[in-house]
């Protein structure tokens, strides 16, 4: 049997080529993901291991007191420097230090960092041009910020200190931000240690680096730990480097898991293709296996031969997949390097774990998918060898199939209904995914039952358009519903997932836009660049008197404790303006009068209070203030935990400036003119940033479109594998129907008509898969959107869905080109004789 199986594989090398390609693509995607993530992880380890060469011990603050930032004090640094064996110890400073761009405004959406660059061996920052600063009049920039803002070595830069006072420095160098994600996102200005403390207002150090001579790192760690005292975390240089690599690689792990999910989808689709392929092969080789039974082969030997065949195909395709994965990983690394991604990369390599995993996954999926067809092969009776031809088995929907499909569909629908009724969040989304999986399995089991009516629906127009070939193609698609169902389900998976993504994206975009318009149709928003900075009230006062604007609403807030509650809460107010009515879940805007307050929905639930209840806010100026709740504000209201009238807020918390200002211009006013007026009002304040609602919506849409493009590209692999499955099925079907095709030719069907018949059959199969995928995708997408936010505005992307259907049908036709060509070229006489 071993020799027979191997001989059969050699004799039919092309028979399983598409199957091998399908599993190779799935394995390749998984292997490529591991190559990519392993290479980046190795780069992190290699890059941060250099820290062990620069320092022997790192001292970090481990605890914080109250709201104070955890820092290493000057006294601690002094004790560390006095420790035996220590040759140098330098404290590192990090805070905010806003760089002023050449347009006079603070650069970026967030203030740049201010960091210290110590001279000597403990300077871990790589200066790529110029040198490190040596006095209080010099500074350096990270090269990304310098390039983006147009600064060069030799320029003069202006930076704001902690009190927003301007300082100028000579730019003496540019440094590589390396793998510091915060620097990569915000940018940084580097100073001497003393200057960094002055500019950032830092009262201590975020880290102290220590070097020593003639002492091991572990011994030095013990001595420094004793000198630093409690409240500090002391690590050796090697441990510190390993922790940095692990911490910075955290995002890489998340990305890897996300990519592996798409790999799992690809492998699932490949498994369906393999199952379908072996099922058809078993039917085609009925006489062959029956002859083997006649000459003495046992059922176990027949079963083993099918599994051996699948194992050989799985092994060879897994090896192909590993090579393909290496190429995919290398290509992804090249793309990341070309776009200057802030990721460390070394040469790509296949780790032993990746090789073993790829081979195991490929073998398990291939052999597992072949188990049921192999079991079917053992039921072939020896007498079947005497038959003139293989009869296609008639399909009947058994009781087991009907009952199991019903149970899966009902359970899945119940779980999805439960998820939709839950509060939006991650848990509800996971429940929806569970219910959707059950529903999909139910449809998968029920596939052969629904494929006939679906083929009638999808093939009605082609049958009318293409005459006799169209009617024959429609009959062929309905002849073996089990095969048609397993052929189309691979494509259904891809279309379902792409439809879900499209529905969710369109719904989230529409919901976001509606909520923004409902809560306050903002034309412009003025807010400070710094997280905790404020805006002078003069900005809002100046804008209110301008005739260009219909309304100007200023918000301001602070934190204060509540009576009998731990912690502090955000207490704020807003200045009323025409047309501004915050969205409330309960109560009315007219009820916000002295002695009352609005409470955020989440706080109302936590305190178990509602409209008419009373809360007490403790203030420094007015002492405990009892307030009656006049309304409960929703999550989209733009209000605070506790919102009080503007006059009362100023009495409770005098001297608080605005945190943001919302501006609407009047009808008929030129938007560019209105924007110029707002920018003029903020020109004297470099950190006051003007944002238009058009820009916010545009950035949001751009982000969603990018996510949609990336996810669609990744799901394209599953669609490609499913198309290979359709092509494979048609190729095997053409082989199986060689005599039938020849008989049609003998009866007058021309070669073009035969090609057209097979193309229309593939078109119908593609449309069936698309229709089922679209129907499931719309339902799943609607349910998923309900779990993401409240007050969902459902949107059905009709254009995209129609495109999915059209592309699926077109893809089916393309997949049929080679099988149809082969069938048309076959000799009529030879094919009839072969039967």
């Amino acid at each position: 049997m071993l020799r027979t199986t191997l001989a059969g594989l050699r004799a039919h090398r092309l028979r399983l080529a598409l199957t091998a390609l399908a599993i190779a693509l799935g394995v390749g995607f998984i292997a490529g993901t591991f190559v990519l993530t392993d290479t980046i992880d190795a780069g992190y380890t290699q890059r941060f291991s250099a820290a062990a060469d620069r320092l022997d011990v790192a001292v970090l603050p481990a605890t914080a007191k109250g709201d104070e930032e955890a820092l290493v004090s000057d006294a601690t640094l002094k004790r560390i420097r006095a420790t035996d064996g220590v040759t140098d110890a330098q404290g590192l400073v990090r805070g905010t230090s806003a760089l002023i761009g050449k347009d006079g405004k603070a650069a970026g959406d967030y203030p740049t960092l201010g960091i210290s660059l110590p001279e000597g061996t403990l300077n871990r920052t790589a200066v790529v041009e110029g040198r490190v600063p040596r006095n209080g009049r010099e500074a350096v920039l990270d090269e990304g910020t310098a390039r983006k803002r147009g600064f060069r070595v030799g320029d003069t830069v202006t930076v704001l200190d902690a009190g927003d006072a301007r300082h100028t420095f000579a730019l003496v160098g540019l440094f590589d931000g390396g793998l510091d994600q915060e620097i990569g996102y915000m940018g940084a200005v580097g100073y001497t240690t003393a200057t960094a403390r002055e500019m950032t207002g830092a009262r201590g150090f975020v880290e102290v680096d220590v070097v020593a001579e003639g002492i091991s790192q572990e011994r030095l760690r013990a001595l420094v730990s004793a000198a630093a005292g409690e409240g500090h975390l002391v690590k050796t240089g090697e441990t510190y480097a390993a922790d940095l690599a692990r911490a910075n690689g955290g995002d890489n792990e998340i990305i890897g898991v996300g990519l592996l999910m798409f790999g799992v989808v690809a492998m699932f689709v490949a498994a369906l293709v393999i199952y379908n392929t072996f099922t058809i092969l078993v039917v085609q080789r009925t006489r062959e296996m029956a002859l083997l039974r006649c000459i003495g082969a046992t059922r176990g030997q027949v079963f083993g031969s099918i599994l051996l065949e699948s194992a050989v195909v799985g092994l060879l395709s897994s090896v192909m997949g590993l090579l393909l994965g290496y190429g995919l990983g290398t290509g992804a690394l090249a793309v990341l390097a070309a776009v200057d991604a802030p990721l460390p990369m070394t040469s790509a390599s296949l780790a032993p774990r990746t090789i073993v995993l790829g081979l195991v996954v490929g073998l398990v999926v291939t052999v597992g998918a072949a188990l049921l067809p192999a079991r079917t092969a053992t039921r072939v009776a020896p007498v079947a060898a005497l038959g003139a031809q293989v009869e296609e088995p008639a399909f009947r929907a058994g009781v087991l199939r009907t009952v199991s499909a019903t149970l899966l569909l009902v359970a899945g629908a119940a779980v999805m209904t439960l998820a939709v009724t839950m509060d939006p969040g991650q848990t509800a989304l996971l429940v929806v995914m569970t219910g959707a999986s059950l529903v999909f399995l139910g449809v998968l089991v029920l596939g052969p039952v629904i494929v006939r009516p679906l083929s009638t629906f999808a093939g009605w127009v082609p049958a009318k358009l293409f005459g006799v070939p169209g009617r024959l193609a429609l009959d062929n698609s309905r002849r073996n519903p089990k095969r048609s169902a397993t052929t189309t389900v691979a494509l259904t998976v891809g279309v379902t997932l792409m439809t879900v993504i499209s529905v969710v994206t369109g719904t989230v975009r529409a919901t976001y836009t509606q909520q923004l318009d409902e809560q306050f149709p903002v034309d412009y928003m003025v807010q400070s660049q710094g997280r905790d900075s404020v805006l002078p009230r003069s900005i809002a006062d100046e804008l209110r008197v301008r005739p260009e604007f219909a309304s100007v609403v200023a918000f301001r807030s602070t934190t204060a404790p509540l009576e009998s509650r731990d912690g502090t809460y955000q207490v704020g107010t807003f200045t009323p303006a025409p047309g501004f009515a915050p969205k409330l879940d309960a109560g009315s805007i007219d009820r916000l009068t002295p002695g009352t307050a609005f409470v955020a929905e989440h706080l109302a639930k936590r305190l178990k209070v509602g409209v008419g209840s009373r809360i007490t806010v403790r203030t420094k100026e007015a002492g405990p203030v009892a307030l009656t709740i006049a309304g409960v504000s929703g999550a989209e209201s733009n209000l605070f935990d506790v919102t009080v009238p503007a006059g009362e807020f100023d009495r409770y918390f005098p001297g608080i400036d605005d945190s943001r200002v919302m501006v609407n211009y009047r009808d008929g006013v030129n938007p560019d003119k209105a924007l110029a007026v707002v920018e003029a009002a903020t020109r004297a304040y470099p950190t006051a940033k003007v944002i238009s609602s058009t820009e916010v919506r545009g950035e949001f849409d751009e982000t969603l479109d990018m996510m949609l493009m990336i996810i669609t590209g990744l799901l394209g692999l599953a669609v490609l594998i499913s198309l290979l499955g359709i092509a494979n099925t048609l190729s095997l079907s053409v082989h199986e129907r060689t005599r039938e095709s020849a008989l049609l030719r003998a009866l007058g069907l021309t070669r073009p008509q035969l090609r057209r018949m097979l193309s229309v059959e593939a078109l119908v199969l593609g449309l069936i898969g698309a229709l089922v995928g679209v129907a499931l995708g719309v339902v799943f997408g609607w349910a998923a959107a309900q779990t993401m936010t409240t007050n969902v505005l459902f949107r059905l992307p009709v254009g995209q869905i129609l495109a999915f259907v059209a592309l699926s049908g077109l893809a089916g036709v393309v997949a049929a080109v080679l099988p149809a060509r082969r069938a048309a070229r076959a000799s009529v006489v030879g094919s009839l004789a072969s039967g």
Side-chain angles (χ1 to χ4, degrees):
M1 290 301 296
L2 176 62
R3 288 194 297 271
T4 302
T5 300
L6 295 178
L9 286 171
R10 288 194 299 269
H12 305 283
R13 289 186 294 269
L14 296 179
R15 186 170 63 186
L16 299 176
L18 292 178
T19 304
L21 182 57
I23 196 69
L25 286 173
V27 172
F29 194 90
I30 292 177
T33 299
F34 278 109
V35 169
L36 176 64
T37 54
D38 287 349
T39 302
I40 294 175
D41 284 340
Y44 275 121
T45 302
Q46 186 180 56
R47 182 74 66 91
F48 285 112
S49 291
D53 298 331
R54 295 289 184 111
L55 58 93
D56 294 316
V57 163
V59 182
L60 305 170
T63 58
K65 297 180 180 179
D67 296 331
E68 295 182 3
E69 182 183 5
L71 296 169
V72 180
S73 66
D74 291 290
T76 302
L77 175 59
K78 187 175 180 180
R79 292 196 302 270
I80 292 172
R81 285 174 172 168
T83 302
D84 291 340
V86 172
T87 58
D88 192 13
Q90 295 287 339
L92 303 185
V93 176
R94 176 171 293 216
T96 56
S97 185
L99 173 70
I100 304 300
K102 293 189 174 182
D103 59 354
K105 303 294 287 186
D109 294 330
Y110 296 94
T112 50
L113 298 173
I115 64 173
S116 61
L117 274 69
E119 290 190 274
T121 57
L122 281 174
N123 179 25
R124 305 203 309 265
T125 305
V127 177
V128 296
E129 184 179 347
R131 57 176 176 81
V132 297
R134 295 171 182 166
N135 55 59
R137 300 181 301 278
E138 297 176 343
V140 295
L141 285 177
D142 70 284
E143 57 180 347
T145 299
R147 181 176 62 252
K148 189 182 300 183
R149 305 300 169 187
F151 288 108
R152 298 181 178 179
V153 174
D155 289 348
T156 298
V157 294
T158 302
V159 189
L160 302 180
D161 63 14
D164 287 343
R166 293 173 180 256
H167 299 262
T168 58
F169 297 89
L171 186 59
V172 298
L174 305 178
F175 69 92
D176 180 8
L179 306 178
D180 192 314
Q181 297 178 1
E182 195 174 20
I183 291 179
Y185 183 68
M186 300 173 64
V189 187
Y191 313 96
T192 64
T193 301
T195 307
R197 296 191 67 172
E198 293 175 4
M199 293 299 296
T200 62
R203 297 184 298 275
F205 307 102
V206 295
E207 177 185 329
V208 172
D209 293 341
V210 184
V211 291
E213 289 184 2
I215 187 173
S216 68
Q217 288 192 358
E218 282 295 339
R219 175 59 179 162
L220 180 63
R221 190 195 68 81
L223 293 174
V224 171
S225 181
E230 295 183 359
H232 297 88
L233 185 61
V234 183
K235 300 180 180 181
T236 64
E238 293 178 355
T239 302
Y240 183 55
D243 289 346
L244 283 176
R246 191 161 42 249
N248 282 270
D251 291 341
N252 184 41
E253 292 179 4
I254 296 174
I255 294 173
V257 171
L259 290 174
L260 285 177
M261 290 178 62
F262 290 99
V264 170
V265 171
M267 291 304 300
F268 175 69
V269 175
L272 294 174
V273 172
I274 297 165
Y275 168 76
N276 202 35
T277 300
F278 277 95
T279 299
I280 297 173
L281 289 177
V282 166
V283 173
Q284 290 181 356
R285 295 159 60 189
T286 298
R287 292 186 65 187
E288 175 187 329
M289 289 181 287
L291 285 172
L292 291 174
R293 293 290 308 280
C294 284
I295 60 177
T298 65
R299 288 188 174 185
Q301 287 177 315
V302 172
F303 183 81
S305 69
I306 300 294
L307 291 189
L308 176 61
E309 186 172 327
S310 67
V312 172
V313 173
L315 181 62
L316 293 177
S317 57
S318 298
V319 173
M320 290 170 51
L322 289 173
L323 297 176
L324 179 62
Y326 180 80
L328 289 174
T330 303
L333 292 171
V335 171
L336 292 173
V339 298
D340 293 328
L343 295 172
M345 287 171 281
T346 60
S347 58
S349 61
L350 277 174
R353 176 200 60 182
T354 304
I355 296 174
V356 172
L357 183 66
L359 293 176
V360 169
V361 168
L363 280 172
V364 169
V365 170
T366 308
V367 175
L371 282 175
L372 286 179
R375 184 169 174 265
T376 302
T378 63
R379 298 177 178 177
V380 176
V383 73
L386 304 177
Q389 62 181 3
V390 178
E391 296 291 338
E392 290 187 351
F395 171 76
R396 295 179 180 178
V399 176
L400 179 63
R401 180 184 297 273
T402 303
V403 172
S404 59
T406 302
L407 291 176
L408 286 170
L409 290 172
V410 171
V415 172
M416 291 179 65
T417 303
L418 173 64
V420 170
T421 60
M422 296 171 62
D423 291 334
Q426 185 176 8
T427 301
L429 182 59
L430 291 175
V431 175
V432 160
M433 293 172 62
T434 302
S437 300
L438 292 174
V439 171
F440 187 86
L441 289 176
V443 173
L444 184 64
V445 173
L446 204 62
V449 178
I450 63 176
V451 74
R452 280 185 173 173
L454 284 176
S455 63
T456 301
F457 174 76
W460 183 77
V461 173
K464 295 291 185 181
L465 290 178
F466 296 102
V468 172
R471 291 194 293 274
L472 288 173
L474 180 58
D475 291 339
N476 286 337
S477 66
R478 295 183 298 188
R479 181 189 301 178
N480 191 332
K482 190 173 182 180
R483 177 196 301 169
S484 297
T486 52
T487 301
T488 58
V489 75
L491 183 61
T492 299
V493 173
V495 175
T496 298
L497 293 174
M498 288 196 292
T499 303
V500 168
I501 298 302
S502 298
V503 170
V504 169
T505 302
T507 300
V508 169
R509 180 183 284 116
T511 302
Y512 171 84
T513 302
Q514 184 195 48
Q515 290 176 352
L516 188 60
D517 291 340
E518 283 183 353
Q519 61 188 330
F520 186 43
V522 180
D523 293 322
Y524 304 108
M525 179 183 289
V526 183
Q527 60 185 20
S528 180
Q529 182 196 53
R531 296 186 180 94
D532 302 318
S533 301
V534 293
L535 300 169
R537 293 195 186 186
S538 58
I539 294 177
D541 293 340
E542 181 179 345
L543 294 175
R544 285 193 188 97
V545 300
R546 296 290 305 202
E548 293 86 359
F549 303 116
S551 62
V552 177
V553 180
F555 294 81
R556 47 187 174 270
S557 67
T558 186
T559 57
L562 300 183
E563 194 77 28
S564 71
R565 273 286 169 182
D566 295 332
T568 58
Y569 297 85
Q570 198 174 32
V571 180
T573 189
F574 62 91
T575 55
F580 177 65
K583 185 176 181 181
L584 301 177
D585 292 344
S588 169
I589 187 69
D590 300 329
R591 297 182 181 179
L592 189 63
T593 57
T596 64
F598 292 155
V599 175
E601 180 185 15
H602 69 89
L603 183 58
K605 289 182 178 179
R606 185 181 307 170
L607 300 178
K608 298 180 180 179
V609 296
V611 174
S613 303
R614 293 177 68 83
I615 60 172
T616 301
V617 178
R618 297 203 298 268
T619 71
K620 293 182 179 179
E621 188 73 17
V625 178
L627 302 171
T628 301
I629 298 177
V632 178
S633 56
E636 303 88 10
S637 66
N638 271 318
L639 299 184
F640 309 97
D641 293 337
V642 179
T643 303
V644 298
E648 297 297 287
F649 180 86
D650 291 339
R651 184 169 67 86
Y652 304 152
F653 311 100
I656 302 294
D657 280 324
D658 296 334
S659 57
R660 65 182 184 273
V661 178
M662 292 182 173
V663 183
N664 267 354
Y665 56 80
R666 296 184 184 277
D667 293 338
V669 174
N670 186 297
D672 293 335
K673 180 181 178 182
L675 177 60
V677 173
V678 177
E679 290 179 339
T682 62
R683 187 167 294 122
Y685 309 100
T687 59
K689 311 289 286 188
V690 180
I691 304 171
S692 72
S693 59
T694 303
E695 291 178 357
V696 173
R697 290 187 178 95
E699 291 177 358
F700 181 77
D701 288 340
E702 184 179 345
T703 301
L704 283 180
D705 290 339
M706 183 177 297
M707 290 176 57
L708 179 63
M709 181 179 65
I710 293 173
I711 294 175
T712 302
L714 294 171
L715 292 177
L717 178 66
V719 176
L720 175 61
I721 295 175
S722 65
L723 295 182
L724 291 174
I726 292 178
N728 206 18
T729 301
L730 285 174
S731 295
L732 295 169
S733 179
V734 165
H735 176 75
E736 179 181 337
R737 292 182 290 175
T738 299
R739 191 167 185 271
E740 175 188 316
S741 298
L743 183 60
L744 290 173
R745 290 284 312 283
L747 292 174
L749 199 69
T750 65
R751 286 183 174 179
Q753 287 178 318
L754 181 59
R755 287 196 297 267
R756 196 174 306 136
M757 180 190 77
L758 294 173
S759 297
V760 172
E761 182 180 346
L763 170 66
V764 173
L765 292 177
L767 291 177
I768 292 173
L771 291 174
V772 176
V774 165
L776 293 176
V778 170
V779 175
F780 296 165
W782 174 84
Q786 304 301 313
T787 66
M788 292 182 175
T789 184
T790 57
N791 302 320
V792 173
L793 185 64
F794 181 72
R795 284 290 181 267
L796 189 65
V798 178
Q800 290 181 353
I801 288 176
L802 292 177
F804 292 155
V805 175
L807 289 175
S808 298
L810 177 61
V813 174
V814 172
V817 170
L818 291 180
R821 190 177 180 185
R822 177 186 174 189
R825 287 183 173 183
S827 168
V828 175
V829 176
S831 298
L832 287 172
S834 66

